[in-house]
Amino acid sequence: MVQKEKIWHALYVASRQEKKVLERLQQKNIETYLPIVKTMKQWSDRKKMVELPLLNGYIFVHITGLENDKTIQTPGVVNFVRAEGKIAKVRDVEIERLKQLIELGYQMELNGARHNYKEGDKVKITSGALKNIEGFVVENKEGRYIDVLLESIGQSIRVKLPEEILIPTN
């Protein structure tokens, strides 16, 4: 039986083709989401703010089972992300979490210490739009980041947050 309700799925897409595939899917009236972050790129002669996909090689689609073929036949789409042999479902809360992270403009990338958090400590965010989301402390050359896990597709996002809004969890 083909599922008729819309569910979020993740797609693998060809390298550096995220924006083109997004456009092609939208032309087919497929609801899509591509998390884009602004980052400063430096060349030998200049610096420039550029918009890049947060998750290289991934696009999210909100489709029914009837739209699977139309989606997979889009040029640039490699395949659906799968879990245990089936097309993986991405929970609505994970898409909302991504949208909140992007909208709030946190410093992010894929994958000062008053509380002395160590790498690997599990913490919970205590305020703001990300309140009650749990993650893990990750050291980085620029400071401390929190990994927010997108369980459905096995990816995590690193978000730089002030330590004042974190509490340890056990």
Side-chain angles (χ1 to χ4, degrees):
M1 183 167 156
V2 178
Q3 137 257 337
K4 293 181 181 170
E5 67 183 76
K6 285 193 170 194
I7 295 176
W8 284 103
H9 299 286
L11 297 173
Y12 292 119
V13 298
S15 179
R16 297 184 181 209
Q17 296 294 306
E18 296 90 353
K19 291 179 183 178
K20 288 179 183 174
V21 172
L22 178 79
E23 194 175 292
R24 291 176 189 138
L25 289 167
Q26 289 172 338
Q27 288 171 352
K28 293 181 175 188
N29 294 318
I30 294 173
E31 184 180 349
T32 59
Y33 178 58
L34 174 61
I36 298 283
V37 291
K38 291 182 181 180
T39 187
M40 185 67 71
K41 285 285 187 180
Q42 182 169 348
W43 289 268
S44 60
D45 61 337
R46 62 193 158 91
K47 288 183 179 180
K48 184 177 178 180
M49 190 65 81
V50 295
E51 292 184 340
L52 298 172
L54 177 61
L55 299 165
N56 290 330
Y58 289 90
I59 288 182
F60 298 95
V61 291
H62 197 220
I63 59 173
T64 67
L66 298 171
E67 296 172 295
N68 285 0
D69 288 344
K70 181 167 73 167
T71 302
I72 200 73
Q73 293 169 359
T74 304
V77 172
V78 175
N79 207 343
F80 284 98
V81 173
R82 295 183 178 275
E84 299 176 10
K86 297 179 183 174
I87 295 174
K89 297 176 182 178
V90 179
R91 298 181 326 215
D92 291 346
V93 68
E94 292 178 309
I95 297 296
E96 287 309 311
R97 200 178 284 172
L98 275 174
K99 288 179 179 180
Q100 287 175 343
L101 290 170
I102 299 294
E103 187 177 307
L104 294 171
Y106 287 114
Q107 184 178 346
M108 291 182 280
E109 63 181 47
L110 188 60
N111 301 4
R114 274 178 276 174
H115 300 292
N116 294 320
Y117 289 123
K118 298 181 298 300
E119 184 168 356
D121 286 352
K122 189 171 183 180
V123 293
K124 181 185 248 183
I125 301 168
T126 60
S127 66
L130 303 177
K131 185 175 181 174
N132 296 325
I133 292 176
E134 293 182 356
F136 294 91
V137 175
V138 179
E139 289 287 340
N140 184 296
K141 64 183 175 186
E142 299 170 14
R144 294 182 189 275
Y145 284 75
I146 305 304
D147 268 355
V148 176
L149 180 63
L150 303 174
E151 296 169 8
S152 301
I153 62 170
Q155 293 287 324
S156 64
I157 311 271
R158 290 187 180 170
V159 184
K160 191 169 191 175
L161 297 170
E163 292 189 19
E164 304 80 56
I165 67 168
L166 302 176
I167 59 170
T169 63
N170 289 337

